[in-house]
């Protein structure tokens, strides 16, 4: 799915700060960050709709989302922890009403040393 | 908190077989149920959804929903090796924009 691009594709970090980037070319209003740890299903972290943060699940404060415009989403991570090793997916949907189909990017695989 | 459970954990079938995947959920007030397909190293891809009791057919896929028993199933007709993937059941929590995913069923279709 080249309509949602994420960068970087792979990230190996010690206790550093880094930002994940996502851009969607679908004209959608809603954008999401999901975390998928090994052997687990994707879990919602943050949801933006029309650039407003409307869902903030129980996520450590070292994760800070940013939505600079309706097509871009950032995830800033400070002082990563080994438990943060996972694949981080960006997704988008037309809106947030029931039965919206989510479109996922290919993910950023974060490995914490 | 909604819980989504899937069975079986994994499944190996010969090409051309009918595949049946199961999903149970805990909240009868949940909205739509989605099935997503995830190939290794890729993001999940939406396949089909259902909201009302009964069944819905799209191509080789048929989904059945029974809200009374909190159960939904996905059936893949004439399975192909390209269908080999993890299948995730996901429950939409009303107008919250939140999807709760199950752990998935790993399907392998052997040529």
């Amino acid at each position: 799915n080249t309509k949602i691009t994420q960068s970087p594709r792979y990230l190996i970090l010690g206790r550093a700060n880094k930002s994940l980037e996502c851009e969607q070319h679908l004209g959608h209003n809603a954008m999401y960050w999901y975390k998928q740890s090994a052997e687990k299903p994707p879990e919602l972290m943050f949801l933006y709709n029309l650039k407003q943060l409307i869902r903030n699940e129980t996520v450590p404060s070292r994760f800070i989302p940013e939505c600079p415009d309706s097509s871009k989403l950032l995830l800033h991570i400070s002082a990563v922890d080994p438990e943060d090793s996972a694949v981080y997916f960006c997704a988008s949907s037309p809106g947030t009403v029931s039965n919206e189909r989510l479109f996922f990017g290919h993910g950023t695989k974060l490995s914490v040393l | 908190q909604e819980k989504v459970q899937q069975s079986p954990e994994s499944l190996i079938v010969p090409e051309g077989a009918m595949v049946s995947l199961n999903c149970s959920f805990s909240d009868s007030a949940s909205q739509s149920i989605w099935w997503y397909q995830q190939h290794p190293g890729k993001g999940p891809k939406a396949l089909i959804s259902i909201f009302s009791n009964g069944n819905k057919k799209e191509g080789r896929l048929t989904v059945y929903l029974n809200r009374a028993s909190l159960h939904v199933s996905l059936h893949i007709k004439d399975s192909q090796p390209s269908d080999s993937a993890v299948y995730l059941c996901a429950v939409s929590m009303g107008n919250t924009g939140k999807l709760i995913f199950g752990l998935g069923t790993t399907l392998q279709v052997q040529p």
Side-chain angles (χ1 to χ4, degrees):
Chain A
N1 181 4
T2 57
K3 295 184 178 176
I4 300 182
T5 56
Q6 291 187 241
S7 63
R9 188 70 188 265
Y10 299 96
L11 194 54
I12 300 173
L13 291 177
R15 285 185 64 81
N17 302 338
K18 192 64 180 177
S19 296
L20 309 185
E21 299 183 6
C22 171
E23 185 169 11
Q24 55 101 356
H25 306 276
L26 296 164
H28 288 167
N29 292 324
M31 294 190 75
Y32 309 71
W33 280 115
Y34 273 84
K35 175 184 179 182
Q36 187 171 26
S37 302
E39 310 302 320
K40 286 194 171 182
E43 294 176 319
L44 179 65
M45 299 175 73
F46 303 103
L47 163 58
Y48 278 84
N49 191 43
L50 297 169
K51 294 174 58 180
Q52 299 297 312
L53 182 63
I54 62 170
R55 284 202 76 93
N56 183 348
E57 301 297 297
T58 306
V59 176
S61 58
R62 59 182 177 274
F63 290 90
I64 300 174
E66 182 185 355
C67 189
D69 66 57
S70 57
S71 67
K72 291 183 181 169
L73 196 60
L74 306 173
L75 184 63
H76 307 292
I77 315 173
S78 58
V80 291
D81 188 89
E83 71 178 24
D84 299 334
S85 294
V87 180
Y88 292 85
F89 289 105
C90 173
S92 71
S93 62
T96 58
V97 297
S98 177
N99 203 37
E100 292 278 14
R101 174 187 296 252
L102 265 62
F103 293 79
F104 283 82
H106 52 63
T108 292
K109 185 172 183 178
L110 172 62
S111 299
V112 180
L113 302 175
Chain B
Q1 169 79 338
E2 174 75 74
K3 290 186 179 178
V4 180
Q5 295 187 309
Q6 294 186 239
S7 65
E9 277 190 27
S10 62
L11 192 57
I12 301 174
V13 301
E15 184 175 354
M18 169 74 85
V19 172
S20 296
L21 309 178
N22 298 297
C23 174
S24 61
F25 51 98
S26 59
D27 187 351
S28 59
S30 58
Q31 298 293 310
S32 297
I33 316 297
W34 279 93
W35 286 94
Y36 282 77
Q37 178 192 58
Q38 187 173 23
H39 284 106
K42 300 283 181 67
K45 175 187 171 185
L47 293 178
I48 190 170
S49 70
I50 190 165
F51 175 78
S52 302
N53 263 335
N55 65 76
K56 180 179 177 182
K57 186 171 187 278
E58 288 184 4
R60 294 188 294 117
L61 306 179
T62 303
V63 60
Y64 293 88
L65 172 61
N66 183 328
R67 285 199 180 272
S69 63
L70 303 177
H71 183 265
V72 62
S73 60
L74 174 68
H75 304 266
I76 306 173
K77 180 182 174 184
D78 188 24
S79 56
Q80 303 296 308
S82 57
D83 295 330
S84 298
V86 175
Y87 288 80
L88 298 163
C89 175
V91 175
S92 171
M93 301 307 294
N95 290 337
T96 65
K98 184 173 181 176
L99 277 181
I100 306 290
F101 285 88
L103 277 171
T105 293
T106 301
L107 171 65
Q108 185 179 344
V109 181
Q110 293 183 329

